[in-house]
Amino acid sequence: MTMDLKPGFHAVPEGHLASVVTHLEMLAPAAPRPEHGAETLRLDLVRSPSVDWYRALFRTVGADWLWFSRLDLAEEELEAVLSDLLVEVHVLRDGSAEAGLLELDFRQPGQCELAYFGLAPALVGTGAGRFLMNRALELAWRGDVRRFHVHTCTLDHPGALPFYLRSGFSAYRREVEVAPDPRLQGVLPRDAARHVPLICERTVSGASGDG
């Protein structure tokens, strides 16, 4: 196996972010884990959601973790994905509030991708994630599905990777992803993901004059 990146530091282009992506898979159904605090939660399938509605929920769930791929996608391309019968978009509701997103992609025969999985900020740490994962397991493992897979990265919530491992996924590959910072592209607000520094321009070191 060849490596394009050698050990050591590597410069990231200005205006870009770098993250380590971990790919995980499950080759047989995992047992659901105990739930708590789910009394007011329910999961609803939304067939052929509108692009505007979907992107609003995507931002609510993903802005703190710099989710940008579906915001960057051309409207007609995203509409084609959302209208595909093999792509399922589910909204998690806490009472009447839209509080989470579960998207399952069955377009590859025999496989289900956990394409997007996340909660609104107010529900993080409440037990809603376990409720949502248990529903994802029920929905994914049906028909001729033999593999359930997902990926996460170091820009996501720090608990995301351990959560997936506890849920029964196994890590099998890592990659480094470099992408334009969506805050500088105007895709997300500049104050999104405050834990990830926004580097706007080159810092020139050194100074002229007497000091």
Side-chain angles (χ1 to χ4, degrees), residues 19-25 149-156 160-162 164-165 169-177:
S19 64
V20 177
V21 179
T22 300
H23 296 265
L24 306 103
E25 64 183 359
H149 62 105
V150 66
H151 68 266
T152 186
C153 76
T154 48
L155 295 176
D156 277 338
L161 181 54
Y164 288 134
L165 293 171
F169 289 94
S170 297
Y172 68 92
R173 187 171 81 242
R174 289 193 183 93
E175 296 177 305
V176 174
E177 180 182 25

Side-chain angles (χ1 to χ4, degrees), residues 12-17 66 68 72 179-192 196-202:
V12 176
E14 287 187 41
H16 287 62
L17 295 166
L66 295 182
F68 64 87
D72 236 359
D181 190 323
R183 297 166 297 184
L184 295 177
Q185 302 293 311
V187 175
L188 287 171
R190 292 173 76 90
D191 62 352
V196 181
L198 181 64
I199 301 176
C200 301
E201 58 188 18
R202 184 190 300 275

